[in-house]
């Protein structure tokens, strides 16, 4: 057996602690032993991430150690790195045969939920900043880069995604050399209420001592305004406490 480092934050100490906890848990459940990297601790510095990937086989199912541990007052959170195949586990308290699957971020667009599908396109802080500028009239790559502070590769990827989903369209404005700009489509302009809602929320809860940095002026009447969400039928402001979601099944029944 090797000497366990004494410092509570040493990664080797974390690994040893997690391995012992996992072994004790598996033994208590009557499961097979867990393979662990302790034997190579003298020659290497294993990280806690290696322990987070450990699984044991029992009845052809993947079982994992607990996700959280405490070590001398320091919380250690194991990160689930996922596996190559699809895993399912029963939700506590759910009916028999009811399962939920670990959702990867790139799969969120497949969920039968409009919010989730929208997030698969615009659920990223850099994308929202690009949309903010596009709605303010910015069109060219260098202007987007200067306003957002994004790196070239990152900005290129975000713009390509928005073009792919029809939020922006790429238009050539110069032939020699070829240069393109990015213009909002009707689908992209439909995101204006989203950006305005974020602006309104930020003005109310996140503005500094100097107040909101930008205000909106309605050119039709000339007044500075704070747009609000209202019912198109009665005109009353929408309050989440006065709204009930109606599922597709309810609306068709």
């Amino acid at each position: 057996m090797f000497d366990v480092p004494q410092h509570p934050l040493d990664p080797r100490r974390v690994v040893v602690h997690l391995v012992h906890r996992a072994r004790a848990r598996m033994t208590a459940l009557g499961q097979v032993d867990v393979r662990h990297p302790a034997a190579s601790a003298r020659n290497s510095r294993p990280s806690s991430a290696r322990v987070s990937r450990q699984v044991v086989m029992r009845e052809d199912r993947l079982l994992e150690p607990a996700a959280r541990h405490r070590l001398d007052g320091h919380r250690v959170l194991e990160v689930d790195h996922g596996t190559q195949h699809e895993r399912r586990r029963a939700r506590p308290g759910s009916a028999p045969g009811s399962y939920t699957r670990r959702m990867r971020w790139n799969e969120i667009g497949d969920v039968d939920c409009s919010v989730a599908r929208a997030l698969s396109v615009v659920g990223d802080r850099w994308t929202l900043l690009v949309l903010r500028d596009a709605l303010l009239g910015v069109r060219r790559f260098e202007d987007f880069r200067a306003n957002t502070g994004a790196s070239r590769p990152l900005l290129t990827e975000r713009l390509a995604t928005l073009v792919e989903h029809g939020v922006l369209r790429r238009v050539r404005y110069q032939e020699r050399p070829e240069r393109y700009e990015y213009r909002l489509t009707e689908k992209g302009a439909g995101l204006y209420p989203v950006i305005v809602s974020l602006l309104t929320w930020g003005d109310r809860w996140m503005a500094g001592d100097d107040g909101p940095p930008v205000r909106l002026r309605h050119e039709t009447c000339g007044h500075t305004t704070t747009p609000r969400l209202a019912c198109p039928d009665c005109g009353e402001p929408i309050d989440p406490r006065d709204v009930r979601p109606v599922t597709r099944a309810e609306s068709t029944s």
Side-chain angles (χ1 to χ4, degrees), residues 2 29 32 39 59 72 74 77-78 97 130 142 155 160 186 198 225 233 250:
F2 58 89
L29 294 175
V32 297
E59 297 178 0
D72 296 337
H74 299 281
L77 174 61
E78 292 187 23
V130 170
E142 291 301 331
L155 181 57
E186 182 179 358
L198 285 173
T225 183
D233 294 319
E250 291 178 287

Side-chain angles (χ1 to χ4, degrees), residues 143-211:
D143 294 331
F144 280 116
R145 183 167 174 265
N147 289 351
T148 63
S151 66
R152 287 182 178 276
L154 188 150
L155 181 57
T156 299
E157 192 274 332
R158 298 305 191 273
L159 289 171
T161 298
L162 293 174
V163 170
E164 177 187 354
H165 288 277
V167 176
L168 298 176
R169 59 190 178 96
R170 197 163 175 254
V171 179
R172 185 170 62 185
Y173 69 89
Q174 180 177 306
E175 292 187 1
R176 296 183 181 179
E178 283 193 343
R179 297 187 185 278
Y180 293 83
E181 63 184 16
Y182 299 86
R183 299 182 183 179
L184 283 166
T185 63
E186 182 179 358
K187 184 177 181 179
L191 288 165
Y192 182 70
V194 176
I195 300 300
V196 169
S197 294
L198 285 173
L199 173 68
T200 302
W201 184 86
D203 285 348
R204 180 176 180 183
W205 300 106
M206 307 295 289
D209 296 335
D210 296 332

Side-chain angles (χ1 to χ4, degrees), residues 130-142:
V130 170
L131 287 172
R132 175 204 65 184
D133 287 352
L135 290 165
L136 290 174
V138 177
R139 293 183 176 180
R140 299 187 178 177
F141 184 93
E142 291 301 331

Side-chain angles (χ1 to χ4, degrees), residues 114-132:
S114 294
V115 174
R117 290 175 178 175
L119 288 175
S120 70
V121 180
V122 299
D124 171 85
R125 66 184 72 182
W126 293 107
T127 301
L128 289 173
L129 290 177
V130 170
L131 287 172
R132 175 204 65 184

